[in-house]
């Protein structure tokens, strides 16, 4: 289990390529708040996840709970799955990119 935990943390830090400050600033924008699936309330699942990601990035890895590790696994899965659906052309101002950014991954930083 310790190896699995370590692997998840490594994968999380690999796919989350935005700093805590970059992500926190992004989450304040209208574009951030307008994308994503909303189950209840006004906040999308991705936006809520982004707030959790900021908190995780600001803490020491030794403090992560099992629930937080599970969330990291969810982040990794979402970013990898959604990245594979990259649309053609310039993605700078697309809902696809904005959604990924809510999950801490800016595909334009891959370049």
């Amino acid at each position: 289990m310790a190896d699995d935990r370590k692997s998840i943390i490594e994968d999380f830090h690999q796919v989350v390529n935005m700093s805590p400050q970059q992500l926190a600033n992004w989450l304040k924008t209208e574009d951030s708040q307008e994308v994503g699936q909303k189950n209840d309330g006004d906040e999308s699942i991705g936006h809520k996840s982004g707030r959790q990601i900021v908190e995780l990035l600001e803490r020491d890895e030794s403090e992560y709970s099992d629930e937080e590790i599970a969330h990291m696994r969810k982040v990794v899965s979402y970013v990898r799955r959604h990245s594979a659906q990259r649309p053609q052309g310039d993605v700078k101002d697309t809902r696809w990119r904005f959604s990924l950014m809510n999950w801490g991954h800016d595909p334009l930083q891959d370049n």
Side-chain angles (χ1 to χ4, degrees):
M1 184 63 174
D3 286 342
D4 188 42
R5 182 181 174 96
K6 183 178 178 183
S7 176
I8 293 166
I9 293 170
E10 287 174 0
D11 289 348
F12 173 79
H13 286 288
Q14 183 179 33
V15 301
V16 174
N17 65 0
M18 296 172 73
S19 71
Q21 189 62 48
Q22 285 175 313
L23 182 51
N25 289 340
W26 164 252
L27 292 172
K28 295 175 188 173
T29 68
E30 282 185 40
D31 286 334
S32 168
Q33 296 172 26
E34 291 178 1
V35 296
Q37 179 182 352
K38 298 178 183 180
N39 285 343
D40 53 25
D42 295 329
E43 186 175 33
S44 73
I45 295 168
H47 196 271
K48 182 178 179 182
S49 175
R51 290 188 300 104
Q52 291 175 290
I53 293 166
V54 169
E55 292 176 17
L56 291 169
L57 292 173
E58 292 177 337
R59 294 202 356 253
D60 188 79
E61 291 179 11
S62 65
E63 299 174 359
Y64 296 152
S65 70
D66 290 343
E67 291 162 348
E68 291 168 330
I69 296 294
H71 183 70
M72 289 178 174
R73 182 184 310 225
K74 182 177 180 179
V75 170
V76 170
S77 176
Y78 178 85
V79 169
R80 288 181 176 164
R81 186 176 60 252
H82 200 66
S83 292
Q85 300 169 354
R86 184 182 184 112
Q88 296 283 330
D90 184 7
V91 296
K92 183 178 179 189
D93 294 315
T94 62
R95 293 178 62 83
W96 174 83
R97 176 180 177 229
F98 298 161
S99 182
L100 275 169
M101 289 174 69
N102 279 355
W103 290 81
H105 180 81
D106 184 351
L108 296 185
Q109 289 188 34
D110 288 345
N111 299 336

